[in-house]
Amino acid sequence: MKNFLSILLAPAAAIAATAQADAALVAHFPMDVRGGQITEQISGERYYVQGHFTPENLPGAEGQALRFDGYTSYINARLGNIIAAGTKSMTVSMWVAVPCYPIIKIDENTSEQTPIATCLDETKKTGFGFYIGFDGRYSFRTYIGGWPVNINVTSPLPTYQWNNLTAVIDGDSRTVTLYNNGKAVGAGRANGEVNFSACEFKMGRGDVENYAGPFLLTSYNGLIDDIKIWNEAIPEATVASWKAENPADLDIPASRFADEILRPRFHGMPAAAWTNECHGMWYADGRYHLFFQKNADGPYMARLHWGHISSENLFDWREEKIAIAPGAPYDIKGCWSGCVFADEQITGGKPNILWTAVDYGRATIAQAYPDDTQLINWTKTSNNPIIDGRPGGLSDDFRDPYFFSHNGKAYIIVGSSKDGVGTTTLHQYDPSTKTWSNDGRLFFTGTTAQLCGSFWEMPNITEMEDGKWLFTVTPLGTSVGVRTLYWTGTISDSGQFEPDEYSRSPRTVEMESRDGFGLLSPTIYRHNGKTIVLGIVPDKLPSEDNWDLGWAHCYSLPREWSLGERNQLVQKPFSGLEGMRASGGYSRSAFTLNGTESLAPVSGRAFELCGTFEVGTNPVGFNIFKNSQASATITYNPRTNEVVADFSRVARLVNDGGVYGGVYRCALPEMLRRGSDLKLNIFVDHSIVDIFINDCWATSIRAFPTATDADGVEVFANSGDVTVKDLRAWNLVKSGG
């Protein structure tokens, strides 16, 4: 246990108590934060924890540990002349726990390492430091007798556990030994005196600063606890006896974003930092498991991992540990998108992961299997990569595998480009050799780049009702930029997709989407007779705003998909979302609206609106994010047959300048007849708005209103009478709230 006297008593008493407990201890940095500072116990000196967020303590290996956020937090402390001249022995110990490794450089292989904690001065040839690289390899560095001693550990630092890193310099045996949790992991020679002088002692970063935009890449992400320095060599048996009091808790503290008015609460997203496509859902052990592209080191895109969130109901989410991390030679640059699948013959009916494995030269396809029924721990298969790169005749870009089976045959499709137009490769499983073909056969190709895009991301083929098949893809390089397209059709005996008469041209998933706005790259999952869909809805903010927020992007609320008479997508909210509704709320039926009416007690930043109106000649809609200065509006105009979401008048973080300018015009695919019903079902969750119309069409829009008092909610018909058949509204709460 940490010395409680050092916390409770005045500095002078703390110094005396510590000295009596261990006369050889010359420096001690517990990580208990008081007033934004930590205290070095021997000297009594206090040092501020620097960073964008309030310093965060979590249960530590000894008492409390400090959570470093991976891109802003650090400590600049100082060590005095704690090691006397002529000293030949010293011990340095610290506890660390990491979820992943630092980026170091964007898209570049490097042997550089960044400090976990250091006072090493290469010019003066003094001090010491613990370091870690992007591949997890770690080291201890110091100077002895004026000569450098570098102990490099070639195996990566274990993640999601406490690591007690202890370096023992023993002048009697002339050795330097590095221990991790009491086990020797490296050694060197110690011929001479310890080179040490008063110096800065940095934790969480060093002097070398590599940036990508505003993001510091050479920064530490994880826990640091209880740094101690002795002026003697601690015996190996003593080092081996040190045990952590608590398991390593690498969760992002809820306090970090507790007061954030822009962060969604009900939409899937990791607890902090960067997310990209979600790509694989599975139901196991009573929970939906959703996997996604993740960078835990900050809210920017780099060295992607497979993150993992889970939920019982698709709106109460918790983040699990990282499922797949770069580290093998074939995926050292990153583990990119793919899918989760199961097949009796290939996986024994258990879910497996397929992902795009990227090194610094090319992309291949790899596979992993779960080690537990909760799908928390995963092991990469020994025969990776299972598809060793793109077939000939295609672009170098080759990624995002998706599994399907048809007529007893198993296939993988992968996104690519052929002759400048988006395409998908087709790979068939051979049960006799347990291998996949890679002969250049294509599954489906677009017609023109202008219409269908020059490259296809995240292809997905799903068997729908009545034997119909739905093919979705997120293309790059169309005439209107990135948006999600779909076709319907059948699968031939050779495993290829054949579009039907309704898919001579691709159709769009969203009512309004271009240039990467709206729902992209949908994950489609069949479960209990429902086709459940989520997709990423990028925030499209400048990097500086993401730096400030500490997070980037989220996923849509889950939708239910089916196919209509012309095989068009029919989209409605997932039925389980009714569980978000708080008791009470607003309810009124069968009345004529002319003017504006408050929907109190519903207000704030998280609510659902559901109104059924008779289509007439006058517009009808809702005011949201309303204060005394302005409001955002969502309006149906029967004259133009458009639903218009207008955020242009509210104070907001601007994420769509030059594209939408805050005004999103959604033309309904079908004209609503006078006298027919218009059902507007709108979900607002802080910075995202999901809009459903007539349980048929949908779109998701990011909005970032910044005024803290912009919480009013109203219904309006300001140009004349509108018949309201039914109008209900609810505040949203977590289950059990």
Side-chain angles (χ1 to χ4, degrees), residues 187-428:
R189 297 295 297 167
N191 295 314
E193 301 172 358
V194 174
N195 292 92
F196 191 89
S197 60
C199 56
E200 284 190 338
F201 186 41
K202 299 182 178 181
M203 309 170 205
R205 67 170 68 174
D207 293 326
V208 176
E209 297 184 345
N210 298 334
Y211 282 89
F215 301 106
L216 179 64
L217 307 179
T218 47
S219 191
Y220 174 80
N221 177 16
L223 299 169
I224 295 179
D225 194 22
D226 224 53
I227 302 175
K228 293 180 179 178
I229 305 171
W230 294 264
N231 62 5
E232 64 179 14
I234 301 298
E236 182 175 8
T238 302
V239 173
S241 71
W242 295 335
K243 306 297 179 185
E245 295 177 354
N246 303 292
D249 180 1
L250 285 157
D251 290 344
I252 303 299
S255 59
R256 184 180 299 183
F257 303 119
D259 300 323
E260 173 57 71
I261 65 171
L262 298 179
R263 183 176 169 83
R265 302 293 194 271
F266 301 89
H267 288 66
M269 60 191 303
W274 171 271
T275 185
N276 208 28
E277 296 103 340
C278 52
H279 48 215
M281 184 185 289
W282 203 262
Y283 189 82
D285 202 41
R287 300 183 70 83
Y288 296 92
H289 297 263
L290 185 66
F291 300 88
F292 60 93
Q293 294 281 269
K294 175 184 178 68
N295 171 26
D297 286 326
Y300 59 97
M301 185 172 178
R303 200 157 186 263
L304 295 173
H305 296 52
W306 268 54
H308 179 190
I309 56 176
S310 71
S311 173
E312 292 182 351
N313 51 29
L314 295 177
F315 59 85
D316 280 319
W317 295 96
R318 77 181 183 211
E319 186 165 12
E320 312 289 359
K321 64 182 290 189
I322 290 168
I324 302 290
Y330 54 82
D331 69 3
I332 190 63
K333 181 179 177 180
C335 299
W336 291 5
S337 295
C339 69
V340 179
F341 80 104
D343 180 84
E344 288 296 332
Q345 189 174 47
I346 300 172
T347 72
K350 296 180 180 180
N352 272 216
I353 284 174
L354 294 175
W355 79 95
T356 309
V358 184
D359 62 17
Y360 288 94
R362 64 196 186 104
T364 58
I365 307 303
Q367 184 174 343
Y369 59 87
D371 300 327
D372 51 72
T373 59
Q374 296 81 29
L375 310 186
I376 304 301
N377 299 293
W378 295 79
T379 297
K380 300 175 183 180
T381 59
S382 59
N383 62 330
N384 280 332
I386 61 168
I387 300 175
D388 194 22
R390 65 169 178 83
L394 302 180
S395 76
D396 289 337
D397 216 347
F398 172 74
R399 49 190 161 93
D400 308 345
Y402 191 84
F403 173 92
F404 77 99
S405 59
H406 182 250
N407 285 344
K409 299 176 183 177
Y411 303 94
I412 292 173
I413 59 175
V414 184
S416 190
S417 176
K418 182 176 178 61
D419 300 327
V421 180
T423 191
T424 38
T425 61
L426 182 65
H427 309 267
Q428 184 173 338

Side-chain angles (χ1 to χ4, degrees), residues 597-600 602-604 607 609 623-624 626 711-715:
E597 180 172 323
S598 171
L599 298 185
V602 173
S603 65
F607 51 85
L609 310 175
N623 291 321
I624 62 175
K626 180 179 175 62
D711 57 5
V713 185
E714 298 173 334
V715 64

Side-chain angles (χ1 to χ4, degrees), residues 511-512 514 620-625 631-637 640-650 652 655-656 659-668 680 682-684 688-693 698-703 716:
M511 286 188 296
E512 174 54 40
R514 64 181 188 270
V620 65
F622 296 99
N623 291 321
I624 62 175
F625 304 134
S631 66
T633 59
I634 300 174
T635 309
Y636 172 70
N637 188 335
T640 61
N641 199 43
E642 287 181 318
V643 170
V644 180
D646 186 347
F647 304 96
S648 63
R649 293 184 295 275
V650 298
R652 65 190 182 106
N655 66 325
D656 57 2
V659 181
Y660 290 100
V663 182
Y664 298 78
R665 298 185 178 277
C666 305
L668 302 192
L680 285 176
I682 299 167
F683 297 83
V684 175
I688 184 168
V689 180
D690 296 273
I691 301 173
F692 296 86
I693 300 171
T699 197
S700 297
I701 301 171
R702 300 307 303 273
F716 67 83

